[in-house]
Amino acid sequence: MRDTSDPASADVGQTWPTGALPSGSRVTVIRASDWDGPWQAEFQGTIDATHAPEPNEHAQALSGELLYWVTFDTPQHDSDGDGPYREAQIWGRYLRTESDAEA
C-alpha cells in the first residue's frame, strides 16, 4: 500500500513542483467568476498525492498555473451536467485553501 500523505509517493518519475499545494491539502473547488463553470457548485476535496501537479499548457492558462488532481468529498457534476465525478484534474485558479479564505 502506498503512503499518499507524502509527495514522494507520487507516480514513479514524477516530481512534486516547488511552491505547489501539498498533497493532502483540503481545498474548495470554486466556480469561475466570468463564466458558468467549470462545475455546477462549489465543493470540498483533497489534493491527491498519487499524481503530481503538472504545468497547465492550455492557451488560456495563467503563467505558471498548475493542474491538480483533486479527490472530491462527494461526487460532482460539471457545468455541462456530465458526471458524477469522484475526482478530476482541476486548474489551480479554481482551488481555494482555508488560508486563502482567511486572507
Side-chain angles (χ1 to χ4, degrees), residues 21 27-30 43 47 65-70 72 90-97 100:
L21 294 172
V27 294
T28 300
V29 179
I30 64 167
F43 55 90
I47 301 295
E65 185 170 25
L66 295 173
L67 297 167
Y68 293 87
W69 279 98
V70 177
F72 307 153
I90 308 289
W91 292 27
R93 73 177 81 178
Y94 298 120
L95 299 176
R96 295 292 177 263
T97 63
D100 290 337

Side-chain angles (χ1 to χ4, degrees), residues 2-65:
R2 183 188 306 192
D3 176 6
T4 59
S5 64
D6 179 3
S9 68
D11 286 342
V12 175
Q14 292 185 339
T15 303
W16 208 265
T18 302
L21 294 172
S23 65
S25 293
R26 296 289 298 153
V27 294
T28 300
V29 179
I30 64 167
R31 291 175 51 86
S33 61
D34 57 343
W35 65 286
D36 189 26
W39 299 94
Q40 291 183 357
E42 293 189 1
F43 55 90
Q44 303 297 121
T46 304
I47 301 295
D48 188 330
T50 59
H51 305 281
E54 53 192 75
N56 186 344
E57 297 181 2
H58 189 279
Q60 294 175 340
L62 302 174
S63 177
E65 185 170 25

Side-chain angles (χ1 to χ4, degrees), residues 63-84:
S63 177
E65 185 170 25
L66 295 173
L67 297 167
Y68 293 87
W69 279 98
V70 177
T71 302
F72 307 153
D73 289 358
T74 57
Q76 300 294 322
H77 289 85
D78 65 18
S79 58
D80 293 329
D82 294 332

